[in-house]
Amino acid sequence: MNSEKLNQWVVDTFEKNGQIGNELDNVSSDDRESINFLLNYLVSAGFVKSEKIGTRINYVVQDLDKIKEFLGLNKKTEIISSLQDSTVINLPLSMHEKLISLKKNYSDLNIIELKDVFKKLLNSASDEVLIASPFIEIDGIAYILDELIDSASRGVSFKILTRDVLVKKSYNNTHTKKIKAVLKLYELFDQYQSNPNAFMEIRDFGEEVSDSHLNKLHYEGIHQKLMIVDKKYAYVGSGEIRSPSFLSNGESGYLTTGRQAEFWYDFFDIFWSNSKPVSKDFSFTL
Amino acid sequence: MNSEKLNQWVVDTFEKNGQIGNELDNVSSDDRESINFLLNYLVSAGFVKSEKIGTRINYVVQDLDKIKEFLGLNKKTEIISSLQDSTVINLPLSMHEKLISLKKNYSDLNIIELKDVFKKLLNSASDEVLIASPFIEIDGIAYILDELIDSASRGVSFKILTRDVLVKKSYNNTHTKKIKAVLKLYELFDQYQSNPNAFMEIRDFGEEVSDSHLNKLHYEGIHQKLMIVDKKYAYVGSGEIRSPSFLSNGESGYLTTGRQAEFWYDFFDIFWSNSKPVSKDFSFTL
């Protein structure tokens, strides 16, 4: 299930049964993991209570309206609206009510949440999407899955720049998550793309620089987080395509347009033209 | 030695001896590490050649003018100049020449390097500096040491927000580096501050959220990178106070003023008022 379907499943099940417990036995283990993640968030927000029954946990709904509001099931129309220079943030779920007061006190600044920026950007794309995401994860892709699929179906091309895919750095778990994300992106694009001239290419910029004796000197890599659409709009900030960036971390950045977007396009290209392609079957060589 | 003195030592030694080898025996092991780091960069940039003599490495100068230019030993006056809305980047050293063409092609956008933004911000502070830096490191502090000391001597207060200091997360090495950084900041402030009403406070926002049965649910933490000065100027972006952000990573962000800076001040405060103080002797309790 994609993230929208998962959210709907949680709301529907709470509406029908008032709780989620044994109901999880009927979903796939991947979906179960995502649903548990979401349920635990709802518990910490106080919208759901967890009860231990033997070794199992039962999730009992406390405030279904707040859950619907939080999951933004009615926000679709807002998300398709036009793009302008905006201030981009994410607040951890436990601070969700602060978001409302920030938006009210700074209504002149176009405060917008990170996940909505990515959705808006993808929805507005007609030609190409450039993404720089050093620590991309499949859990993050789930949040923008529909928008990725829609843009691939419309014939949009993708250049995705990450790091440490071809050469594994220290963090094992992160590396596995990144490979899953890369493979999923290629798979989705192949499945949904309609335009034979459109393409998805994923590249790796992250490498040890050595001296003439092949001694390792230092590591160079991308750390910038960018999403640039049609050379017209650019997101720049601390958050990227990972679920913590959308849910549990504080993040800050900007959505920019015009000349600024052109600059970030050229900045991206410097790294892109110095990076190594990640082929679709790269994982067999690891 | 602070970073400026280290740079000067390297230039002076190259000027005198044309190389750096045995000369390193007379510097402290901390300084030696920083100097080696710098020398290796200069090798990869082609300004210095490394030769192996037995088990030792000798660094032979190739282009002293380029080294002086890169180390920016004559840039002091530029750094003190005034602050305005700017586009902030860092490029890895191997792409240094691209910086010049980007600045030329986008001279209308005030392109500025990350380390210069931090220096300018600290130099302009008269009242208080707020810093959000989730992965702060002592190597990064070295780059802005003089400016930190100067602002502390002028009576500026500091609120520094980081994460995972009080509770160690998975990355051992990172944790040690962060503790060193926190202790060094407190030590520097105590040593140089002149105003009895000024203060430095370091806090930690990063915690596991648990349910009513004390089951761990998820992790919430800061991930935003911010430096806000006198509620008038704010840096927002992907880079923070770590040497990779200043030297070997690609980074992007913005320096903003006015209403935007006020917003980021309030955004910072939401996290600050929910964070835990890190006392000066916290490391004894670890």
Side-chain angles (χ1 to χ4, degrees), chain B residues 144-176:
Chain B
I144 53 172
L145 188 62
D146 290 341
E147 291 76 11
L148 276 171
I149 289 172
D150 282 356
S151 47
S153 320
R154 284 199 310 277
V156 171
S157 291
F158 288 84
K159 292 181 179 174
I160 301 174
L161 185 58
T162 186
R163 75 184 222 192
D164 314 327
V165 171
L166 299 172
V167 178
K168 180 168 152 180
K169 278 200 81 192
S170 42
Y171 332 113
N172 284 321
N173 191 24
T174 312
H175 192 235
T176 312

PDB file of all heavy atoms in Angstrom, chain B residues 144-176:
ATOM      1  N   ILE B 144      35.931  28.708  13.147  1.00  0.00           N
ATOM      2  CA  ILE B 144      35.306  29.980  13.529  1.00  0.00           C
ATOM      3  C   ILE B 144      35.743  30.388  14.941  1.00  0.00           C
ATOM      4  O   ILE B 144      35.079  31.171  15.602  1.00  0.00           O
ATOM      5  CB  ILE B 144      33.767  29.878  13.445  1.00  0.00           C
ATOM      6  CG1 ILE B 144      33.257  28.666  14.268  1.00  0.00           C
ATOM      7  CG2 ILE B 144      33.303  29.746  12.009  1.00  0.00           C
ATOM      8  CD1 ILE B 144      31.731  28.622  14.389  1.00  0.00           C
ATOM      9  N   LEU B 145      36.885  29.853  15.356  1.00  0.00           N
ATOM     10  CA  LEU B 145      37.352  30.055  16.730  1.00  0.00           C
ATOM     11  C   LEU B 145      37.577  31.530  17.068  1.00  0.00           C
ATOM     12  O   LEU B 145      37.093  32.022  18.092  1.00  0.00           O
ATOM     13  CB  LEU B 145      38.652  29.268  16.931  1.00  0.00           C
ATOM     14  CG  LEU B 145      39.178  29.195  18.351  1.00  0.00           C
ATOM     15  CD1 LEU B 145      38.183  28.478  19.244  1.00  0.00           C
ATOM     16  CD2 LEU B 145      40.521  28.461  18.388  1.00  0.00           C
ATOM     17  N   ASP B 146      38.283  32.241  16.200  1.00  0.00           N
ATOM     18  CA  ASP B 146      38.584  33.655  16.496  1.00  0.00           C
ATOM     19  C   ASP B 146      37.302  34.455  16.644  1.00  0.00           C
ATOM     20  O   ASP B 146      37.192  35.317  17.517  1.00  0.00           O
ATOM     21  CB  ASP B 146      39.434  34.270  15.378  1.00  0.00           C
ATOM     22  CG  ASP B 146      40.830  33.685  15.382  1.00  0.00           C
ATOM     23  OD1 ASP B 146      41.230  33.121  16.417  1.00  0.00           O
ATOM     24  OD2 ASP B 146      41.505  33.776  14.337  1.00  0.00           O
ATOM     25  N   GLU B 147      36.335  34.166  15.763  1.00  0.00           N
ATOM     26  CA  GLU B 147      35.084  34.928  15.780  1.00  0.00           C
ATOM     27  C   GLU B 147      34.260  34.585  17.027  1.00  0.00           C
ATOM     28  O   GLU B 147      33.594  35.448  17.591  1.00  0.00           O
ATOM     29  CB  GLU B 147      34.288  34.643  14.501  1.00  0.00           C
ATOM     30  CG  GLU B 147      34.927  35.217  13.229  1.00  0.00           C
ATOM     31  CD  GLU B 147      36.131  34.413  12.719  1.00  0.00           C
ATOM     32  OE1 GLU B 147      36.351  33.289  13.216  1.00  0.00           O
ATOM     33  OE2 GLU B 147      36.848  34.914  11.836  1.00  0.00           O
ATOM     34  N   LEU B 148      34.320  33.315  17.459  1.00  0.00           N
ATOM     35  CA  LEU B 148      33.638  32.930  18.702  1.00  0.00           C
ATOM     36  C   LEU B 148      34.241  33.662  19.898  1.00  0.00           C
ATOM     37  O   LEU B 148      33.528  34.225  20.735  1.00  0.00           O
ATOM     38  CB  LEU B 148      33.766  31.417  18.932  1.00  0.00           C
ATOM     39  CG  LEU B 148      32.762  30.503  18.227  1.00  0.00           C
ATOM     40  CD1 LEU B 148      33.161  29.041  18.390  1.00  0.00           C
ATOM     41  CD2 LEU B 148      31.344  30.718  18.777  1.00  0.00           C
ATOM     42  N   ILE B 149      35.570  33.650  19.955  1.00  0.00           N
ATOM     43  CA  ILE B 149      36.274  34.303  21.062  1.00  0.00           C
ATOM     44  C   ILE B 149      35.988  35.798  21.069  1.00  0.00           C
ATOM     45  O   ILE B 149      35.663  36.384  22.112  1.00  0.00           O
ATOM     46  CB  ILE B 149      37.800  34.033  20.952  1.00  0.00           C
ATOM     47  CG1 ILE B 149      38.081  32.571  21.279  1.00  0.00           C
ATOM     48  CG2 ILE B 149      38.590  34.971  21.857  1.00  0.00           C
ATOM     49  CD1 ILE B 149      39.520  32.143  21.028  1.00  0.00           C
ATOM     50  N   ASP B 150      36.066  36.424  19.877  1.00  0.00           N
ATOM     51  CA  ASP B 150      35.814  37.866  19.793  1.00  0.00           C
ATOM     52  C   ASP B 150      34.416  38.205  20.292  1.00  0.00           C
ATOM     53  O   ASP B 150      34.246  39.173  21.037  1.00  0.00           O
ATOM     54  CB  ASP B 150      35.937  38.354  18.332  1.00  0.00           C
ATOM     55  CG  ASP B 150      37.393  38.510  17.920  1.00  0.00           C
ATOM     56  OD1 ASP B 150      38.281  38.311  18.773  1.00  0.00           O
ATOM     57  OD2 ASP B 150      37.633  38.809  16.732  1.00  0.00           O
ATOM     58  N   SER B 151      33.424  37.422  19.877  1.00  0.00           N
ATOM     59  CA  SER B 151      32.059  37.780  20.271  1.00  0.00           C
ATOM     60  C   SER B 151      31.851  37.533  21.760  1.00  0.00           C
ATOM     61  O   SER B 151      31.180  38.324  22.430  1.00  0.00           O
ATOM     62  CB  SER B 151      31.018  37.057  19.409  1.00  0.00           C
ATOM     63  OG  SER B 151      31.315  35.699  19.302  1.00  0.00           O
ATOM     64  N   ALA B 152      32.450  36.481  22.313  1.00  0.00           N
ATOM     65  CA  ALA B 152      32.365  36.260  23.762  1.00  0.00           C
ATOM     66  C   ALA B 152      33.014  37.431  24.511  1.00  0.00           C
ATOM     67  O   ALA B 152      32.470  37.918  25.505  1.00  0.00           O
ATOM     68  CB  ALA B 152      33.040  34.946  24.132  1.00  0.00           C
ATOM     69  N   SER B 153      34.152  37.905  24.001  1.00  0.00           N
ATOM     70  CA  SER B 153      34.844  39.046  24.650  1.00  0.00           C
ATOM     71  C   SER B 153      34.003  40.316  24.582  1.00  0.00           C
ATOM     72  O   SER B 153      34.138  41.186  25.430  1.00  0.00           O
ATOM     73  CB  SER B 153      36.192  39.326  23.972  1.00  0.00           C
ATOM     74  OG  SER B 153      36.847  38.145  23.631  1.00  0.00           O
ATOM     75  N   ARG B 154      33.182  40.427  23.537  1.00  0.00           N
ATOM     76  CA  ARG B 154      32.323  41.624  23.399  1.00  0.00           C
ATOM     77  C   ARG B 154      31.089  41.553  24.293  1.00  0.00           C
ATOM     78  O   ARG B 154      30.284  42.477  24.323  1.00  0.00           O
ATOM     79  CB  ARG B 154      31.867  41.782  21.944  1.00  0.00           C
ATOM     80  CG  ARG B 154      32.897  42.301  20.983  1.00  0.00           C
ATOM     81  CD  ARG B 154      32.224  42.856  19.705  1.00  0.00           C
ATOM     82  NE  ARG B 154      31.260  41.931  19.119  1.00  0.00           N
ATOM     83  CZ  ARG B 154      31.561  40.926  18.307  1.00  0.00           C
ATOM     84  NH1 ARG B 154      32.817  40.690  17.992  1.00  0.00           N
ATOM     85  NH2 ARG B 154      30.627  40.147  17.820  1.00  0.00           N
ATOM     86  N   GLY B 155      30.876  40.414  24.975  1.00  0.00           N
ATOM     87  CA  GLY B 155      29.728  40.307  25.886  1.00  0.00           C
ATOM     88  C   GLY B 155      28.485  39.695  25.269  1.00  0.00           C
ATOM     89  O   GLY B 155      27.380  39.842  25.782  1.00  0.00           O
ATOM     90  N   VAL B 156      28.659  38.968  24.160  1.00  0.00           N
ATOM     91  CA  VAL B 156      27.528  38.303  23.501  1.00  0.00           C
ATOM     92  C   VAL B 156      27.147  37.028  24.268  1.00  0.00           C
ATOM     93  O   VAL B 156      28.022  36.346  24.802  1.00  0.00           O
ATOM     94  CB  VAL B 156      27.918  37.980  22.042  1.00  0.00           C
ATOM     95  CG1 VAL B 156      26.877  37.100  21.368  1.00  0.00           C
ATOM     96  CG2 VAL B 156      28.158  39.263  21.262  1.00  0.00           C
ATOM     97  N   SER B 157      25.838  36.730  24.364  1.00  0.00           N
ATOM     98  CA  SER B 157      25.368  35.473  24.950  1.00  0.00           C
ATOM     99  C   SER B 157      25.130  34.429  23.867  1.00  0.00           C
ATOM    100  O   SER B 157      24.864  34.767  22.706  1.00  0.00           O
ATOM    101  CB  SER B 157      24.064  35.694  25.719  1.00  0.00           C
ATOM    102  OG  SER B 157      24.302  36.451  26.876  1.00  0.00           O
ATOM    103  N   PHE B 158      25.188  33.161  24.280  1.00  0.00           N
ATOM    104  CA  PHE B 158      25.027  32.060  23.320  1.00  0.00           C
ATOM    105  C   PHE B 158      23.999  31.047  23.804  1.00  0.00           C
ATOM    106  O   PHE B 158      24.085  30.571  24.948  1.00  0.00           O
ATOM    107  CB  PHE B 158      26.357  31.313  23.140  1.00  0.00           C
ATOM    108  CG  PHE B 158      27.386  32.071  22.375  1.00  0.00           C
ATOM    109  CD1 PHE B 158      28.190  33.005  23.018  1.00  0.00           C
ATOM    110  CD2 PHE B 158      27.536  31.876  21.011  1.00  0.00           C
ATOM    111  CE1 PHE B 158      29.141  33.719  22.305  1.00  0.00           C
ATOM    112  CE2 PHE B 158      28.487  32.593  20.302  1.00  0.00           C
ATOM    113  CZ  PHE B 158      29.298  33.516  20.947  1.00  0.00           C
ATOM    114  N   LYS B 159      23.050  30.709  22.941  1.00  0.00           N
ATOM    115  CA  LYS B 159      22.186  29.544  23.168  1.00  0.00           C
ATOM    116  C   LYS B 159      22.510  28.535  22.075  1.00  0.00           C
ATOM    117  O   LYS B 159      22.292  28.819  20.888  1.00  0.00           O
ATOM    118  CB  LYS B 159      20.711  29.942  23.070  1.00  0.00           C
ATOM    119  CG  LYS B 159      20.235  30.856  24.179  1.00  0.00           C
ATOM    120  CD  LYS B 159      18.754  31.163  23.975  1.00  0.00           C
ATOM    121  CE  LYS B 159      18.227  32.062  25.082  1.00  0.00           C
ATOM    122  NZ  LYS B 159      16.823  32.470  24.802  1.00  0.00           N
ATOM    123  N   ILE B 160      23.018  27.390  22.490  1.00  0.00           N
ATOM    124  CA  ILE B 160      23.440  26.393  21.510  1.00  0.00           C
ATOM    125  C   ILE B 160      22.627  25.127  21.712  1.00  0.00           C
ATOM    126  O   ILE B 160      22.612  24.538  22.793  1.00  0.00           O
ATOM    127  CB  ILE B 160      24.949  26.111  21.637  1.00  0.00           C
ATOM    128  CG1 ILE B 160      25.721  27.417  21.405  1.00  0.00           C
ATOM    129  CG2 ILE B 160      25.381  25.028  20.653  1.00  0.00           C
ATOM    130  CD1 ILE B 160      27.207  27.315  21.643  1.00  0.00           C
ATOM    131  N   LEU B 161      21.927  24.731  20.637  1.00  0.00           N
ATOM    132  CA  LEU B 161      21.035  23.578  20.709  1.00  0.00           C
ATOM    133  C   LEU B 161      21.612  22.450  19.864  1.00  0.00           C
ATOM    134  O   LEU B 161      21.895  22.638  18.681  1.00  0.00           O
ATOM    135  CB  LEU B 161      19.648  23.996  20.193  1.00  0.00           C
ATOM    136  CG  LEU B 161      18.508  22.995  20.277  1.00  0.00           C
ATOM    137  CD1 LEU B 161      18.276  22.544  21.714  1.00  0.00           C
ATOM    138  CD2 LEU B 161      17.227  23.619  19.711  1.00  0.00           C
ATOM    139  N   THR B 162      21.811  21.285  20.498  1.00  0.00           N
ATOM    140  CA  THR B 162      22.282  20.129  19.746  1.00  0.00           C
ATOM    141  C   THR B 162      21.426  18.929  20.138  1.00  0.00           C
ATOM    142  O   THR B 162      20.323  19.118  20.671  1.00  0.00           O
ATOM    143  CB  THR B 162      23.810  19.923  19.942  1.00  0.00           C
ATOM    144  OG1 THR B 162      24.259  18.867  19.091  1.00  0.00           O
ATOM    145  CG2 THR B 162      24.166  19.627  21.386  1.00  0.00           C
ATOM    146  N   ARG B 163      21.886  17.724  19.877  1.00  0.00           N
ATOM    147  CA  ARG B 163      21.074  16.552  20.231  1.00  0.00           C
ATOM    148  C   ARG B 163      21.968  15.380  20.599  1.00  0.00           C
ATOM    149  O   ARG B 163      23.158  15.369  20.253  1.00  0.00           O
ATOM    150  CB  ARG B 163      20.152  16.168  19.084  1.00  0.00           C
ATOM    151  CG  ARG B 163      20.831  15.489  17.923  1.00  0.00           C
ATOM    152  CD  ARG B 163      19.827  15.252  16.804  1.00  0.00           C
ATOM    153  NE  ARG B 163      19.999  13.931  16.226  1.00  0.00           N
ATOM    154  CZ  ARG B 163      19.418  13.531  15.097  1.00  0.00           C
ATOM    155  NH1 ARG B 163      18.591  14.333  14.450  1.00  0.00           N
ATOM    156  NH2 ARG B 163      19.622  12.322  14.634  1.00  0.00           N
ATOM    157  N   ASP B 164      21.401  14.431  21.340  1.00  0.00           N
ATOM    158  CA  ASP B 164      22.082  13.166  21.653  1.00  0.00           C
ATOM    159  C   ASP B 164      23.388  13.363  22.411  1.00  0.00           C
ATOM    160  O   ASP B 164      24.320  12.576  22.251  1.00  0.00           O
ATOM    161  CB  ASP B 164      22.380  12.359  20.369  1.00  0.00           C
ATOM    162  CG  ASP B 164      21.195  12.309  19.434  1.00  0.00           C
ATOM    163  OD1 ASP B 164      20.061  12.303  19.924  1.00  0.00           O
ATOM    164  OD2 ASP B 164      21.415  12.286  18.209  1.00  0.00           O
ATOM    165  N   VAL B 165      23.461  14.392  23.240  1.00  0.00           N
ATOM    166  CA  VAL B 165      24.630  14.558  24.102  1.00  0.00           C
ATOM    167  C   VAL B 165      24.386  13.813  25.409  1.00  0.00           C
ATOM    168  O   VAL B 165      25.218  13.036  25.861  1.00  0.00           O
ATOM    169  CB  VAL B 165      24.888  16.055  24.400  1.00  0.00           C
ATOM    170  CG1 VAL B 165      25.956  16.209  25.473  1.00  0.00           C
ATOM    171  CG2 VAL B 165      25.312  16.776  23.141  1.00  0.00           C
ATOM    172  N   LEU B 166      23.222  14.042  25.998  1.00  0.00           N
ATOM    173  CA  LEU B 166      22.917  13.457  27.309  1.00  0.00           C
ATOM    174  C   LEU B 166      22.651  11.960  27.193  1.00  0.00           C
ATOM    175  O   LEU B 166      22.973  11.194  28.085  1.00  0.00           O
ATOM    176  CB  LEU B 166      21.705  14.167  27.926  1.00  0.00           C
ATOM    177  CG  LEU B 166      21.911  15.669  28.164  1.00  0.00           C
ATOM    178  CD1 LEU B 166      20.616  16.336  28.579  1.00  0.00           C
ATOM    179  CD2 LEU B 166      22.991  15.892  29.230  1.00  0.00           C
ATOM    180  N   VAL B 167      22.052  11.555  26.080  1.00  0.00           N
ATOM    181  CA  VAL B 167      21.841  10.127  25.835  1.00  0.00           C
ATOM    182  C   VAL B 167      22.579   9.779  24.559  1.00  0.00           C
ATOM    183  O   VAL B 167      22.367  10.395  23.519  1.00  0.00           O
ATOM    184  CB  VAL B 167      20.337   9.800  25.686  1.00  0.00           C
ATOM    185  CG1 VAL B 167      20.150   8.327  25.376  1.00  0.00           C
ATOM    186  CG2 VAL B 167      19.592  10.191  26.950  1.00  0.00           C
ATOM    187  N   LYS B 168      23.465   8.805  24.665  1.00  0.00           N
ATOM    188  CA  LYS B 168      24.291   8.426  23.530  1.00  0.00           C
ATOM    189  C   LYS B 168      23.477   7.634  22.519  1.00  0.00           C
ATOM    190  O   LYS B 168      22.861   6.639  22.883  1.00  0.00           O
ATOM    191  CB  LYS B 168      25.437   7.570  24.068  1.00  0.00           C
ATOM    192  CG  LYS B 168      26.415   7.066  23.058  1.00  0.00           C
ATOM    193  CD  LYS B 168      27.610   6.502  23.810  1.00  0.00           C
ATOM    194  CE  LYS B 168      28.305   5.404  23.039  1.00  0.00           C
ATOM    195  NZ  LYS B 168      29.456   4.891  23.792  1.00  0.00           N
ATOM    196  N   LYS B 169      23.461   8.087  21.277  1.00  0.00           N
ATOM    197  CA  LYS B 169      22.843   7.276  20.235  1.00  0.00           C
ATOM    198  C   LYS B 169      23.904   6.374  19.606  1.00  0.00           C
ATOM    199  O   LYS B 169      25.017   6.296  20.071  1.00  0.00           O
ATOM    200  CB  LYS B 169      22.149   8.159  19.199  1.00  0.00           C
ATOM    201  CG  LYS B 169      20.745   8.578  19.677  1.00  0.00           C
ATOM    202  CD  LYS B 169      19.904   9.020  18.516  1.00  0.00           C
ATOM    203  CE  LYS B 169      19.308   7.835  17.765  1.00  0.00           C
ATOM    204  NZ  LYS B 169      18.723   8.265  16.482  1.00  0.00           N
ATOM    205  N   SER B 170      23.528   5.706  18.540  1.00  0.00           N
ATOM    206  CA  SER B 170      24.361   4.623  18.004  1.00  0.00           C
ATOM    207  C   SER B 170      25.814   4.971  17.634  1.00  0.00           C
ATOM    208  O   SER B 170      26.707   4.162  17.831  1.00  0.00           O
ATOM    209  CB  SER B 170      23.661   4.008  16.794  1.00  0.00           C
ATOM    210  OG  SER B 170      23.114   5.024  16.000  1.00  0.00           O
ATOM    211  N   TYR B 171      26.053   6.177  17.108  1.00  0.00           N
ATOM    212  CA  TYR B 171      27.374   6.441  16.540  1.00  0.00           C
ATOM    213  C   TYR B 171      28.377   6.846  17.621  1.00  0.00           C
ATOM    214  O   TYR B 171      28.360   7.979  18.084  1.00  0.00           O
ATOM    215  CB  TYR B 171      27.298   7.542  15.488  1.00  0.00           C
ATOM    216  CG  TYR B 171      25.979   7.636  14.808  1.00  0.00           C
ATOM    217  CD1 TYR B 171      25.160   8.746  14.979  1.00  0.00           C
ATOM    218  CD2 TYR B 171      25.526   6.597  13.982  1.00  0.00           C
ATOM    219  CE1 TYR B 171      23.935   8.828  14.345  1.00  0.00           C
ATOM    220  CE2 TYR B 171      24.302   6.682  13.354  1.00  0.00           C
ATOM    221  CZ  TYR B 171      23.519   7.789  13.530  1.00  0.00           C
ATOM    222  OH  TYR B 171      22.308   7.885  12.910  1.00  0.00           O
ATOM    223  N   ASN B 172      29.272   5.956  17.991  1.00  0.00           N
ATOM    224  CA  ASN B 172      30.228   6.206  19.068  1.00  0.00           C
ATOM    225  C   ASN B 172      31.135   7.390  18.824  1.00  0.00           C
ATOM    226  O   ASN B 172      31.260   8.280  19.640  1.00  0.00           O
ATOM    227  CB  ASN B 172      31.135   4.991  19.248  1.00  0.00           C
ATOM    228  CG  ASN B 172      30.384   3.914  19.964  1.00  0.00           C
ATOM    229  OD1 ASN B 172      29.612   4.201  20.876  1.00  0.00           O
ATOM    230  ND2 ASN B 172      30.578   2.689  19.544  1.00  0.00           N
ATOM    231  N   ASN B 173      31.736   7.362  17.670  1.00  0.00           N
ATOM    232  CA  ASN B 173      32.727   8.359  17.325  1.00  0.00           C
ATOM    233  C   ASN B 173      32.115   9.756  17.322  1.00  0.00           C
ATOM    234  O   ASN B 173      32.689  10.707  17.845  1.00  0.00           O
ATOM    235  CB  ASN B 173      33.289   7.998  15.940  1.00  0.00           C
ATOM    236  CG  ASN B 173      34.497   8.820  15.606  1.00  0.00           C
ATOM    237  OD1 ASN B 173      35.165   9.302  16.503  1.00  0.00           O
ATOM    238  ND2 ASN B 173      34.758   8.973  14.326  1.00  0.00           N
ATOM    239  N   THR B 174      30.930   9.858  16.739  1.00  0.00           N
ATOM    240  CA  THR B 174      30.221  11.123  16.680  1.00  0.00           C
ATOM    241  C   THR B 174      29.935  11.646  18.084  1.00  0.00           C
ATOM    242  O   THR B 174      30.050  12.838  18.349  1.00  0.00           O
ATOM    243  CB  THR B 174      28.890  10.940  15.927  1.00  0.00           C
ATOM    244  OG1 THR B 174      29.152  10.236  14.729  1.00  0.00           O
ATOM    245  CG2 THR B 174      28.245  12.266  15.611  1.00  0.00           C
ATOM    246  N   HIS B 175      29.546  10.737  18.984  1.00  0.00           N
ATOM    247  CA  HIS B 175      29.203  11.137  20.342  1.00  0.00           C
ATOM    248  C   HIS B 175      30.413  11.742  21.050  1.00  0.00           C
ATOM    249  O   HIS B 175      30.327  12.793  21.676  1.00  0.00           O
ATOM    250  CB  HIS B 175      28.661   9.938  21.120  1.00  0.00           C
ATOM    251  CG  HIS B 175      28.032  10.309  22.423  1.00  0.00           C
ATOM    252  ND1 HIS B 175      28.420   9.769  23.620  1.00  0.00           N
ATOM    253  CD2 HIS B 175      27.043  11.176  22.713  1.00  0.00           C
ATOM    254  CE1 HIS B 175      27.697  10.295  24.589  1.00  0.00           C
ATOM    255  NE2 HIS B 175      26.848  11.141  24.077  1.00  0.00           N
ATOM    256  N   THR B 176      31.552  11.063  20.953  1.00  0.00           N
ATOM    257  CA  THR B 176      32.781  11.575  21.568  1.00  0.00           C
ATOM    258  C   THR B 176      33.136  12.944  21.011  1.00  0.00           C
ATOM    259  O   THR B 176      33.465  13.867  21.751  1.00  0.00           O
ATOM    260  CB  THR B 176      33.942  10.600  21.296  1.00  0.00           C
ATOM    261  OG1 THR B 176      33.495   9.290  21.600  1.00  0.00           O
ATOM    262  CG2 THR B 176      35.153  10.950  22.119  1.00  0.00           C
TER     263      THR B 176
END
